[in-house]
Amino acid sequence: FLEGIADEKASRSAQIKRFCDTKALIVAYKILFYMGLRIGELLALTIDDYKVDKKELVINKSYKRLKGKDIISTPKTPNSNRVLRMPDIVIEALDEHINRIPFPTRDTRIFNFISTDNVRRALKSEAKRLGLPIIRLHDLRHSCCSFLFSLGCQPLEVKNYLGHKNIFITLNIYAHLYPDQLSGVTDKINFASKTVSKSYQQENEKSPDHYI
């Protein structure tokens, strides 16, 4: 998807109109996927929220546009306040993006020149052009959740990383995305029980009453 959206010539040929900076969009999508931010959290980020020396991103507010005015509010829940260590792929993209912002101050919003509609429309139009499944913008957050689980992260780690209110939300998202994964539990039990049974049989051939 990122390679496709970077091909502005192909997008124009497909008559896709974009009213914002493509490079800024690419950075936004990387943060949404790799860090699982809500769109309001992403758009509220300021230069001061990026702790360059610690490679951390502070999430402590949310942004929305209401009746032509920019509204900055507290996050969705208290758990949404978090400080995240940033992966290298995000750091590289964000550094390049910030260097392109003219005369930034500590309070400058990092994504001041894109909107929720920009991000949502580009996601839909480019996915359609590329023949990819069309998903909701919030589904990128779900994608991050499943990605973290696939890396072997523990449920509590994923919960804290995404800022969920409770761990049941985290687990429900994963169960919803991968309902067939539970069948793997049975396979593991079958394998383990057969292995244990075989081991006991070999060790207790003369005393069969000693094994289950």
Side-chain angles (χ1 to χ4, degrees):
F1 174 79
L2 292 180
E3 290 176 357
I5 199 171
D7 190 347
E8 294 181 310
K9 183 177 180 180
S11 296
R12 287 193 297 269
S13 297
Q15 298 184 336
I16 294 176
K17 296 181 179 180
R18 192 168 297 138
F19 302 100
C20 62
D21 181 53
T22 300
K23 291 183 179 179
L25 280 175
I26 291 174
V27 180
Y29 288 127
K30 286 184 177 181
I31 295 177
L32 291 172
F33 176 77
Y34 286 108
M35 302 192 71
L37 270 63
R38 301 175 179 90
I39 185 63
E41 295 171 342
L42 174 84
L43 297 181
L45 291 173
T46 63
I47 299 294
D48 193 47
D49 293 326
Y50 177 27
K51 307 303 180 183
V52 180
D53 55 335
K54 296 181 179 180
K55 299 182 179 181
E56 293 176 343
L57 201 61
V58 178
I59 296 94
N60 58 12
K61 51 190 172 295
S62 186
Y63 167 91
K64 63 180 178 181
R65 184 81 173 170
L66 187 63
K67 296 181 179 179
K69 296 183 178 180
D70 294 334
I71 307 296
I72 302 293
S73 60
T74 56
K76 186 177 181 180
T77 69
N79 300 80
S80 299
N81 289 286
R82 56 204 191 278
V83 179
L84 301 179
R85 181 87 173 180
M86 301 172 64
D88 292 341
I89 190 172
V90 171
I91 293 174
E92 293 171 5
L94 192 55
D95 283 343
E96 183 179 347
H97 172 69
I98 290 176
N99 288 334
R100 296 171 58 236
I101 299 176
F103 309 109
T105 67
R106 292 179 58 185
D107 296 327
T108 299
R109 284 198 300 114
I110 294 175
F111 295 98
N112 193 33
F113 302 107
I114 63 175
S115 68
T116 301
D117 286 340
N118 292 149
V119 182
R120 182 183 293 114
R121 281 197 299 264
L123 179 64
K124 182 177 180 179
S125 61
E126 289 297 332
K128 185 177 180 180
R129 180 180 73 81
L130 296 168
L132 298 173
I134 296 176
I135 62 174
R136 301 174 305 161
L137 181 56
H138 193 71
D139 288 335
L140 289 175
R141 183 166 158 84
H142 290 188
S143 297
C144 178
C145 179
S146 62
F147 178 56
L148 295 178
F149 272 116
S150 74
L151 296 177
C153 296
Q154 297 301 307
L156 187 58
E157 290 179 302
V158 179
K159 170 194 173 294
N160 293 335
Y161 193 80
L162 295 178
H164 284 153
K165 183 178 181 180
N166 59 64
I167 202 166
F168 299 108
I169 296 174
T170 312
L171 295 174
N172 283 338
I173 291 174
Y174 185 63
H176 171 70
L177 289 173
Y178 295 101
D180 295 333
Q181 287 291 323
L182 291 179
S183 63
V185 174
T186 304
D187 294 336
K188 291 176 182 177
I189 292 174
N190 289 336
F191 176 78
S193 62
K194 290 177 181 178
T195 302
V196 170
S197 178
K198 183 178 180 180
S199 176
Y200 269 93
Q201 288 173 4
Q202 291 174 346
E203 294 177 8
N204 299 277
E205 288 180 350
K206 295 181 181 181
S207 304
D209 293 338
H210 291 173
Y211 60 86
I212 299 174

